[in-house]
Amino acid sequence: MLKSAKIVRPVDANGRVVIPKHLITDVLKAGPDEHVSVEVMYTDDSIILKRFQHSCTFCDSCDDLKEFNGIRICPDCLDKIKKL
Ligand SMILES: [Zn+2]
């Protein structure tokens, strides 16, 4: 279910907006040293913030990733590669 929260924050002289900490920690479940991705929807002037999750290089799955030389891969793609 889509939930929403509306906050109004000022834009500073450098064009930055501070997002309240509770939205980052409680809604995005992101903590210190984690990353947040920013998705800008140009057609409707919206910005979507998401907790960054590593994903499979080949299919974008985030499940049960293995890493080899900096490349993350999911079990399905790994199986497909093994069959090549
Ligand atoms: Zn994959």
Side-chain angles (χ1 to χ4, degrees), residues 54-55 57-58 65-73 78:
H54 290 288
S55 62
T57 299
F58 304 101
L65 298 176
K66 307 273 187 225
E67 183 176 347
F68 178 72
N69 285 352
I71 295 174
R72 290 177 174 80
I73 187 167
L78 185 58

Side-chain angles (χ1 to χ4, degrees), residues 55-61 65 72-78 80:
S55 62
C56 174
T57 299
F58 304 101
C59 74
D60 287 334
S61 168
L65 298 176
R72 290 177 174 80
I73 187 167
C74 72
D76 289 345
C77 288
L78 185 58
K80 290 176 185 172

Side-chain angles (χ1 to χ4, degrees), residues 5-11 17-20 22-23:
K6 183 175 181 178
I7 57 168
V8 177
R9 304 292 294 183
V11 178
V17 175
V18 174
I19 299 169
H22 77 275
L23 291 178

